[in-house]
Amino acid sequence: MAGAGLRAAARRWLLCGGHGGPRAASSSPSCPGCGPPGPGAHCPSTPRSAPADSADLSAHLWARYQDMRRLVHDLLPPEVCSLLNPAAIYANNEISLSDVEVYGFDYDYTLAQYADALHPEIFSAARDILIEHYKYPEGIRKYDYDPSFAIRGLHYDIQKSLLMKIDAFHYVQLGTAYRGLQPVPDDEVIDLYGGTQHIPLYQMSGFYGKGPSIKQFMDIFSLPEMALLSCVVDYFLGHGLEFDQVHLYKDVTDAIRDVHVKGLMYQWIEQDMEKYILRGDETFAVLSRLVAHGKQLFLITNSPFSFVDKGMRHMVGPDWRQLFDVVIVQADKPNFFTDRRKPFRKLDEKGSLHWDRITRLEKGKIYRQGNLFDFLRLTEWRGPRVLYFGDHLYSDLADLMLRHGWRTGAIIPELEREIRIINTEQYMHSLTWQQALTGLLERMQTYQDAESRQVLATWMKERQELRCITKALFNAQFGSIFRTFHNPTYFSRRLVRFSDLYMASLSCLLNYHVDFTFYPRRTPLQHEAPLWMDQLCTGCMKTPFLGDMAHIR
């Protein structure tokens, strides 16, 4: 993370034998990474003797703390910020685009990126449907959409009316559980789940994000749904009204569905495409570039043809269908990938269905429904030479990767904002000191006298404060969509599992040659990286304070 500092530390590490201790065969009178000894010289990685008098242990610990403070300050040069590129493509798995012959795309939030201004419209329309058609209290109309409340990937416990963030190990991140618009105390959350933060597998979301009583909100359209759900619960609780949690959840979900089924969202977008559709020229550039390099393209979307046609005409032009070898609308994903029963139907220019049996998929024609098995049989597009892009990890990507061996690319619009936050000096300094302090806590916990425990408790409190500050940089209620305090989120776990590549938008492809090979960074497993971040930059990277831990070895 610290650029030149880490690279220099790595060189010293190699000189010292590539492990936490000195070379057994070395006869050098000094550490090769620290230079020759001088008057008063001390290698930062050489164990300092702990004071024998327990009265001085507190001062000893605070001295270590101040040493670490200075180290972290020196660790972060000015150029350390802005290391990550928001327009980059990130690889979970090695993939060479030279092997990809066929590119597939979802439409909503993949080919067509939508402005956030769409979310208040969805929220307000669904709220009014609840009041006017489901006869919910008129007082709910006072609530407006809050774009800063929820993040994608949260789980909702239907029986408990609890919206929460869960990590990759099925643990609720304390401080991120909300009932309505109010946070639920950590003790109450633990009591609700039988004295633990852990959510058992059988209660968790199934393969497509829907468990028996817990649902995961995975697509971007779910942001107004989570906001409305929380507002309605907040109203009922605030007015002391009894309600059935299951009925309320279903009503809100149905109201959001009605916005889509009744075509309200399509109408808003069609009436003002300049306002709602982003990066249309970049989508055109991506598609044209791929075709110019001899790639075959197809589109599989759940949206209706009339809506897709108007959007593609806006972004690409009236001849947009000539770019695609196959176009499939109202596909009913994810059932499209698993259900063999629905045949393809051909649509004419007016959207009328034909009755003839489909024996081949023709370029320039429009097809409805169908299933992936017929698609594979008719196109013979199989395996890793196909790369499909979508925004929904379950509905778009999961089956294609796990069952059919396609390569997959996830479109994560939130990635751009999160990277810009990661690139800030505040985030870099907060996270680096947090990691250094955590390493210090791990090593100094061997001191168990009363004064030392008090020092450690102070550090633990500071660490928790740092974690909350870092979390709030992303979202005050729930933090980053990719991490809990330190673990990956459940969303991140699925992202890594179901996508070879992920990026903020399809336009990121324009930054790479069509034959580019993406290599995932080798992120170390825990046993491959026994040192904390601060240890990677102390002298020759021998484990500092080893003497303090000698009795446990």
Side-chain angles (χ1 to χ4, degrees):
M1 175 178 290
L6 283 181
R7 288 193 292 272
R11 288 194 292 270
R12 291 195 292 272
W13 178 67
L14 292 173
L15 287 171
C16 287
H19 53 78
R23 277 180 174 176
S26 174
S27 60
S28 171
S30 65
C31 168
C34 297
H42 173 73
C43 172
S45 59
T46 301
R48 295 177 183 265
S49 298
D53 188 351
S54 60
D56 294 331
L57 283 176
S58 177
H60 171 72
L61 294 178
W62 282 115
R64 294 293 177 270
Y65 177 95
Q66 294 301 332
D67 286 345
M68 202 65 68
R69 269 289 197 187
R70 287 189 291 271
L71 174 68
V72 169
H73 181 270
D74 296 339
L75 173 66
L76 292 174
E79 67 271 14
V80 76
C81 296
S82 300
L83 289 178
L84 297 176
N85 182 2
I89 293 176
Y90 297 91
N92 294 321
N93 193 16
E94 183 174 328
I95 174 174
S96 176
L97 296 185
S98 62
D99 296 331
V100 178
E101 301 171 8
V102 185
Y103 284 76
F105 305 93
D106 181 32
Y107 179 72
D108 297 304
Y109 281 107
T110 301
L111 289 177
Q113 286 270 334
Y114 298 128
D116 290 343
L118 189 60
H119 298 161
E121 301 284 357
I122 296 173
F123 175 93
S124 298
R127 177 200 62 200
D128 294 346
I129 289 172
L130 277 178
I131 296 170
E132 295 164 10
H133 297 281
Y134 292 83
K135 307 305 179 184
Y136 271 61
E138 180 67 30
I140 293 172
R141 210 183 296 272
K142 72 176 184 179
Y143 290 95
D144 293 318
Y145 178 69
D146 180 1
S148 66
F149 178 68
I151 61 173
R152 189 152 57 125
L154 299 179
H155 285 77
Y156 186 74
D157 191 319
I158 299 170
Q159 300 286 351
K160 299 177 176 63
S161 297
L162 208 61
L163 186 66
M164 55 193 168
K165 182 176 171 184
I166 297 177
D167 71 12
F169 302 96
H170 295 199
Y171 282 83
V172 179
Q173 180 182 356
L174 296 180
T176 66
Y178 279 72
R179 182 177 288 113
L181 300 175
Q182 301 302 317
V184 178
D186 295 344
D187 292 344
E188 183 178 343
V189 173
I190 292 172
D191 287 342
L192 285 170
Y193 291 101
T196 179
Q197 299 166 239
H198 185 262
I199 309 295
L201 180 62
Y202 72 90
Q203 291 184 14
M204 285 289 289
S205 304
F207 190 72
Y208 295 111
K210 298 177 182 178
S213 62
I214 296 180
K215 177 191 174 178
Q216 186 178 18
F217 292 100
M218 288 295 281
D219 64 2
I220 302 171
F221 287 132
S222 65
L223 291 173
E225 182 177 356
M226 286 185 280
L228 181 59
L229 191 58
S230 298
C231 288
V232 175
V233 171
D234 183 77
Y235 180 87
F236 275 80
L237 293 177
H239 289 77
L241 302 176
E242 292 187 7
F243 64 97
D244 185 285
Q245 292 97 328
V246 176
H247 293 331
L248 187 147
Y249 167 77
K250 186 177 185 304
D251 290 345
V252 171
T253 301
D254 288 347
I256 291 287
R257 183 204 61 200
D258 288 347
V259 173
H260 297 275
V261 171
K262 294 179 179 180
L264 298 178
M265 187 192 77
Y266 301 142
Q267 293 173 21
W268 302 325
I269 295 173
E270 289 171 1
Q271 289 168 4
D272 196 344
M273 291 190 182
E274 290 292 341
K275 175 182 178 180
Y276 291 115
I277 296 183
L278 307 175
R279 294 175 168 169
D281 54 340
E282 296 173 4
T283 295
F284 179 43
V286 169
L287 299 176
S288 300
R289 186 168 178 248
L290 292 174
V291 171
H293 284 83
K295 306 298 183 181
Q296 295 177 285
L297 309 184
F298 67 91
L299 170 63
I300 302 178
T301 176
N302 286 347
S303 293
F305 171 68
S306 60
F307 174 68
V308 174
D309 183 53
K310 291 174 182 175
M312 291 300 293
R313 286 175 180 269
H314 172 77
M315 293 186 289
V316 177
D319 298 326
W320 68 269
R321 280 187 282 168
Q322 296 307 311
L323 295 173
F324 292 88
D325 293 88
V326 179
V327 175
I328 301 168
V329 298
Q330 292 178 278
D332 191 28
K333 295 179 293 183
N335 295 328
F336 178 87
F337 300 126
T338 57
D339 190 344
R340 299 170 178 262
R341 293 172 296 178
K342 291 183 179 179
F344 284 110
R345 301 283 299 274
K346 188 184 295 183
L347 288 173
D348 61 21
E349 295 291 338
K350 297 181 180 179
S352 300
L353 287 170
H354 288 205
W355 299 99
D356 51 319
R357 185 170 178 269
I358 304 301
T359 57
R360 62 192 181 105
L361 299 175
E362 302 176 66
K363 186 171 184 175
K365 304 297 183 182
I366 304 299
Y367 300 92
R368 177 181 169 183
Q369 292 184 341
N371 63 82
L372 183 66
F373 303 94
D374 286 343
F375 179 88
L376 296 175
R377 177 177 57 81
L378 295 172
T379 63
E380 298 184 351
W381 292 339
R382 299 178 182 275
R385 67 191 185 103
V386 184
L387 172 56
Y388 185 81
F389 293 92
D391 69 289
H392 199 300
L393 301 182
Y394 296 136
S395 297
D396 289 326
L397 307 181
D399 285 300
L400 295 178
M401 169 173 274
L402 299 183
R403 301 176 191 270
H404 302 285
W406 286 10
R407 310 311 291 266
T408 56
I411 305 299
I412 313 293
E414 301 95 332
L415 185 64
E416 182 174 358
R417 176 179 176 271
E418 295 230 354
I419 288 178
R420 295 193 188 282
I421 293 171
I422 290 172
N423 281 338
T424 62
E425 185 175 347
Q426 181 182 8
Y427 176 86
M428 285 296 220
H429 280 275
S430 177
L431 182 65
T432 306
W433 173 234
Q434 182 187 142
Q435 287 291 88
L437 186 59
T438 302
L440 198 59
L441 276 163
E442 180 181 82
R443 294 191 298 278
M444 296 298 104
Q445 65 182 303
T446 55
Y447 298 113
Q448 288 297 310
D449 61 282
E451 289 190 5
S452 296
R453 286 201 300 270
Q454 186 175 357
V455 172
L456 295 174
T458 302
W459 293 356
M460 187 68 76
K461 181 180 178 182
E462 180 182 359
R463 176 176 178 259
Q464 183 60 27
E465 291 171 351
L466 285 167
R467 296 167 89 180
C468 292
I469 290 171
T470 306
K471 165 196 161 190
L473 290 175
F474 298 96
N475 176 279
Q477 291 76 232
F478 301 101
S480 166
I481 72 170
F482 299 103
R483 279 201 179 274
T484 57
F485 287 131
H486 54 278
N487 287 335
T489 58
Y490 196 87
F491 178 90
S492 286
R493 180 182 184 181
R494 291 312 202 216
L495 177 64
V496 172
R497 185 70 183 91
F498 299 147
S499 67
D500 294 288
L501 305 172
Y502 64 99
M503 64 210 75
S505 73
L506 205 59
S507 62
C508 295
L509 284 170
L510 297 173
N511 300 321
Y512 300 86
H513 190 268
V514 292
D515 291 332
F516 191 86
T517 298
F518 293 94
Y519 297 96
R521 302 297 178 263
R522 183 183 172 94
T523 53
L525 301 172
Q526 291 297 303
H527 68 279
E528 295 173 329
L531 306 181
W532 286 93
M533 181 186 303
D534 59 282
Q535 295 171 281
L536 295 177
C537 301
T538 51
C540 64
M541 300 171 81
K542 302 170 190 173
T543 305
F545 321 121
L546 192 59
D548 298 333
M549 302 181 68
H551 69 280
I552 66 173
R553 285 183 171 271

